[in-house]
Amino acid sequence: MAEKKFYVTTPIFYPNANLHLGHAYVTTLSDVVARYHRLAGEKTYFLTGSDENAQTVIQGAQKAGEDIGPFRDRTVKGFIELFKKLNISYDQFIRTSDEAVHWPGVQLLWKKMTDAGDIYKKEYEGLYCVGHEAFITEKDLVEGKCPDHGTVPERLKEENYFFRLSKYTLPVKQKIESGELEILPQTRKNEILSLLQEGLQDVSFSRPKTKVPVGIPVPGDETQVMYVWCDALTNYITALGYGRDDALYKEFWPADVHIIGKDILRFHAAIWPAMLLSAGEPLPKKILVHSMILSGGRKMSKTLGNVIDPQELLTEYGADALRYYFARHISPFEDGDLTREQFKETYNADLANGLGNLVARIIKLAEDNLPEGTRPEPKGFDSKYTEALERFEVNRALEYVMVHVAALDLKITTTQPFKLIKTDIEIGKKVIFDLTQELYLIGRMLNPFMPATSEAIKKAVIDNKKPENLFPRKE
Ligand code: MSP
């Protein structure tokens, strides 16, 4: 049988400022998915990166009083450091400022859309919201401002290239309705279908170079650069060598899943499929739309003062504790909440008292009573665990693992192996051996969620040696 492939992507992030907890969340969620598919033996490719040719990035550089080039490099360096600390196992980090890697494929896609008759020039007047990196309409405004960003949009009057998005309303709708392009969860599918029902308008796909100095040149017209979303969405294929050396493209495209936040659904589930249809390229198979992380029930925002820096939690608790919280206590499909207090409480309950304590108890019993060289016999995973992960219900899968942790704790209490070993050594040993077997399986199941903890548990069982305190209690 041919080897199964799996291609998963995160959104690419604007290097206009440091990443916050919401960005750390989507990247961790994607990493759990990637690691699970690797664990399942699939040849997995995991892509992330930065979306650099955007006005919001130019503004970020201006605010910092830096030139755009060094500003982007410095910010992206911070992204990569954060991902390293979070133990993100990406195969490639694409930068859309990379002229060698990214630009040829974007220009090729543009040419194909032009050849299909889907790019045309038009005089246009509209309101551009830099926060959205998109035109918005008069009726979206509240007291003259974009309600999401609280900013007054720029009124632009320009001659731009347009993409004939309207032509693809029906074809995209059909692909989504038939499930050929699957949108998860159903609520998001409904949302995009109702948008398609209204019909899509053609979109401006370029800006004058004089206004946006960092974009990708439009082939055959030096005066125009591409609209940032046209350039950004294409990263999913340029990263695979589309337009240069397309061996990876042939191997991994179409993507198995694009993981995105609900705020960028329209770009991914309407514009991107339309671009691919226009160019005659296959569509991604799935788009997984996750919800937002709130803090204390409200959107994290600097003005509310409830922004939590992922670095802060990472320094205090370590990567696996943060990964655990994201995966276990935030449902991909409902808005989730994180405050410092909730985080500490869960850490102490689930990890210090729960998992960490269980590992220490079992390995101590094994160290004292089992002979050296007792090898665990790997068991298969339960279908409840694998099926939840296949459906991206990472919180359900991790809940299943934690139910095992609690059950194992209970087993120690009921079987009392520390007493048993004194009265019936053989039965005592057998009980302890069984406990190590179960613990080993827990270690293996934790691999996608908490890779370092997973390794530490497996090693402790194999070496018959207690690891350092995995999760010291926090007061
Ligand atoms: N550059 C675009 C994406 C281009 S993809 C071809 C972009 N960048 S972003 O940096 O603003 O956001 C990246 C992702 O972070 C988005 O999917 C967004 O939904 C997600 N999040 C931003 N805030 C978030 C939360 N508070 N919670 C969860 N995810 C959040 O959009």
Side-chain angles (χ1 to χ4, degrees):
M1 211 172 74
E3 190 179 18
K4 218 174 151 198
K5 307 264 166 43
F6 193 82
Y7 178 34
V8 48
T9 66
T10 71
I12 50 172
F13 303 94
Y14 293 128
N16 54 358
N18 292 338
L19 295 180
H20 61 58
L21 213 59
H23 305 129
Y25 172 72
V26 54
T27 314
T28 304
L29 175 65
S30 309
D31 189 58
V32 170
V33 170
R35 283 180 188 269
Y36 164 69
H37 283 272
R38 278 192 212 110
L39 186 67
E42 293 164 29
K43 189 168 181 194
T44 301
Y45 201 83
F46 175 21
L47 176 71
T48 189
S50 51
D51 185 356
E52 306 197 8
N53 306 315
Q55 259 170 278
T56 180
V57 181
I58 301 175
Q59 284 187 352
Q62 281 164 350
K63 234 201 263 164
E66 286 178 57
D67 285 341
I68 179 102
F71 172 77
R72 291 193 297 207
D73 289 350
R74 182 172 64 76
T75 316
V76 168
K77 197 162 160 252
F79 291 6
I80 290 172
E81 278 164 12
L82 175 69
F83 290 170
K84 198 161 179 214
K85 275 197 196 160
L86 256 176
N87 217 342
I88 303 299
S89 62
Y90 60 80
D91 294 289
Q92 187 183 159
F93 187 104
I94 188 168
R95 298 187 59 181
T96 59
S97 59
D98 191 327
E99 295 184 25
V101 168
H102 181 59
W103 294 24
V106 183
Q107 288 176 324
L108 175 64
L109 198 77
W110 181 282
K111 283 186 203 134
K112 288 196 180 186
M113 294 188 291
T114 307
D115 291 346
D118 291 335
I119 301 283
Y120 63 95
K121 224 171 183 183
K122 168 173 131 173
E123 173 84 27
Y124 183 67
E125 187 171 353
L127 298 168
Y128 194 82
C129 170
V130 175
H132 275 107
E133 288 293 358
F135 282 98
I136 58 176
T137 62
E138 206 79 58
K139 71 172 175 15
D140 295 326
L141 304 182
V142 176
E143 291 170 0
K145 291 182 178 170
C146 162
D148 293 338
H149 298 98
T151 47
V152 179
E154 286 176 50
R155 181 168 291 279
L156 303 175
K157 191 170 180 227
E158 303 169 344
E159 193 177 46
N160 296 337
Y161 288 98
F162 267 67
F163 173 52
R164 228 178 274 285
L165 183 60
S166 57
K167 175 175 155 190
Y168 292 95
T169 300
L170 269 182
V172 171
K173 191 160 166 262
Q174 274 160 5
K175 295 279 180 194
I176 294 177
E177 271 170 348
S178 69
E180 229 176 294
L181 169 57
E182 206 178 321
I183 313 288
L184 294 163
Q186 182 70 36
T187 46
R188 301 293 162 214
K189 177 172 173 176
N190 297 345
E191 183 182 323
I192 195 72
L193 283 175
S194 72
L195 193 91
L196 289 162
Q197 190 61 36
E198 287 169 25
L200 300 170
Q201 307 276 322
D202 291 354
V203 280
S204 162
F205 245 34
S206 74
R207 300 288 317 276
K209 190 165 171 48
T210 47
K211 301 257 180 73
V212 188
V214 291
I216 302 180
V218 165
D221 187 346
E222 301 254 300
T223 67
Q224 295 267 322
V225 294
M226 289 180 206
Y227 171 45
V228 65
W229 272 99
C230 162
D231 138 18
L233 289 161
T234 313
N235 94 88
Y236 300 130
I237 58 176
T238 58
L240 298 180
Y242 183 78
R244 33 183 186 98
D245 166 6
D246 61 1
L248 280 175
Y249 181 70
K250 289 205 179 99
E251 188 173 5
F252 286 102
W253 191 257
D256 291 274
V257 63
H258 291 318
I259 300 184
I260 60 161
K262 61 181 178 184
D263 54 331
I264 54 177
L265 173 64
R266 187 175 67 90
F267 298 103
H268 283 81
I271 300 181
W272 178 226
M275 288 167 68
L276 290 165
L277 285 173
S278 166
E281 302 293 346
L283 302 194
K285 294 181 197 159
K286 288 189 181 121
I287 300 178
L288 172 68
V289 191
H290 67 79
S291 301
M292 294 291 128
I293 298 205
L294 312 174
S295 190
R298 308 179 75 172
K299 196 176 164 195
M300 282 191 196
S301 94
K302 287 200 182 117
T303 25
L304 289 173
N306 62 350
V307 173
I308 303 176
D309 182 352
Q311 300 279 2
E312 179 192 325
L313 294 175
L314 283 171
T315 307
E316 193 170 349
Y317 294 92
D320 278 2
L322 181 54
R323 294 175 62 105
Y324 174 82
Y325 191 96
F326 281 153
R328 172 73 189 87
H329 292 288
I330 297 192
S331 153
F333 305 126
E334 285 155 41
D335 284 349
D337 209 80
L338 194 160
T339 61
R340 289 182 185 82
E341 296 69 32
Q342 282 162 351
F343 193 90
K344 185 158 108 185
E345 217 172 279
T346 330
Y347 170 88
N348 279 333
D350 298 7
L351 299 180
N353 298 348
L355 181 63
N357 189 34
L358 179 79
V359 175
R361 285 172 87 192
I362 295 181
I363 303 295
K364 173 86 179 83
L365 280 166
E367 235 177 353
D368 292 349
N369 299 295
L370 296 187
E372 293 258 331
T374 312
R375 284 282 173 271
E377 297 148 14
K379 293 188 195 169
F381 296 129
D382 190 290
S383 60
K384 275 200 190 130
Y385 168 86
T386 51
E387 281 167 15
L389 279 161
E390 293 289 343
R391 290 193 303 267
F392 309 103
E393 291 172 0
V394 298
N395 55 330
R396 293 266 164 277
L398 190 49
E399 180 184 22
Y400 174 82
V401 181
M402 294 310 280
V403 166
H404 263 253
V405 169
L408 216 48
D409 239 340
L410 189 67
K411 199 165 172 184
I412 301 179
T413 314
T414 50
T415 56
Q416 305 211 320
F418 36 87
K419 281 194 188 155
L420 204 55
I421 199 88
K422 291 186 190 133
T423 53
D424 189 331
I425 191 161
E426 283 318 309
I427 296 188
K429 275 189 184 171
K430 171 82 174 71
V431 168
I432 295 169
F433 178 74
D434 287 348
L435 289 171
T436 61
Q437 295 275 297
E438 298 272 346
L439 185 63
Y440 192 78
L441 181 63
I442 287 173
R444 286 178 55 232
M445 287 195 291
L446 283 175
N447 169 286
F449 308 98
M450 305 163 88
T453 306
S454 163
E455 283 314 307
I457 293 176
K458 288 192 295 183
K459 187 168 184 327
V461 174
I462 290 171
D463 296 352
N464 217 355
K465 194 165 174 315
K466 220 170 109 179
E468 295 215 350
N469 190 354
L470 291 175
F471 302 104
R473 223 191 124 71
K474 302 279 178 190
E475 295 311 326

